[in-house]
Amino acid sequence: MLSHTLEHGVLVITVDQDPGIDGRATLTTRITNLVDAHQPTPVVIVLTERAGGHAAVSAVLRAHQWCGRLGVLMSVVTHSAPVRRLLQNNADTSGPRLVVHARVDTAITTAFTAAV
């Protein structure tokens, strides 16, 4: 369902499929556990094409709220313009703004630069 790496001091979590409504809580927990383990490292979540469903988007939005409470910078990457709009329109606005990118390299560079 997901994998992770550290690239240039940024935690990159790749979600490779939508977990469905029954797996949403598990995905959220796995993401937030990785964030907890690597904080204060900035986080980039990559949603592959197969991970652009509503359950994965919901899990990412919940993870964004978690990161906001911890003060951890988080951004998301997806090639899908409709998913980018969905994320931007539904992101929590009470904390740090959710930045949504179309390219992984741009997201990692931006997160690394912001954290320095």
Side-chain angles (χ1 to χ4, degrees):
M1 183 180 335
L2 68 83
S3 60
H4 70 283
T5 61
L6 284 172
E7 295 184 35
H8 306 290
V10 176
L11 174 62
V12 180
I13 301 171
T14 302
V15 181
D16 57 14
Q17 66 183 15
D18 187 89
I21 197 70
D22 293 334
R24 179 181 60 191
T26 299
L27 179 58
T28 302
T29 300
R30 291 183 68 192
I31 293 171
T32 57
N33 285 345
L34 285 168
V35 169
D36 287 344
H38 291 89
Q39 68 174 314
T41 303
V43 178
V44 171
I45 298 178
V46 180
L47 294 176
T48 66
E49 269 187 57
R50 293 181 19 188
H54 291 288
V57 168
S58 176
V60 168
L61 291 171
R62 289 172 189 236
H64 175 245
Q65 290 175 330
W66 184 257
C67 288
R69 286 193 288 270
L70 297 175
V72 171
L73 176 68
M74 183 186 129
S75 57
V76 181
V77 177
T78 179
H79 296 295
S80 168
V83 173
R84 284 195 303 271
R85 283 190 298 275
L86 185 63
L87 287 162
Q88 290 168 334
N89 291 339
N90 291 287
D92 182 14
T93 57
S94 65
R97 183 170 82 76
L98 178 63
V99 179
V100 185
H101 297 274
R103 294 180 37 171
V104 175
D105 59 338
T106 303
I108 293 170
T109 301
T110 303
F112 173 76
T113 302
V116 174

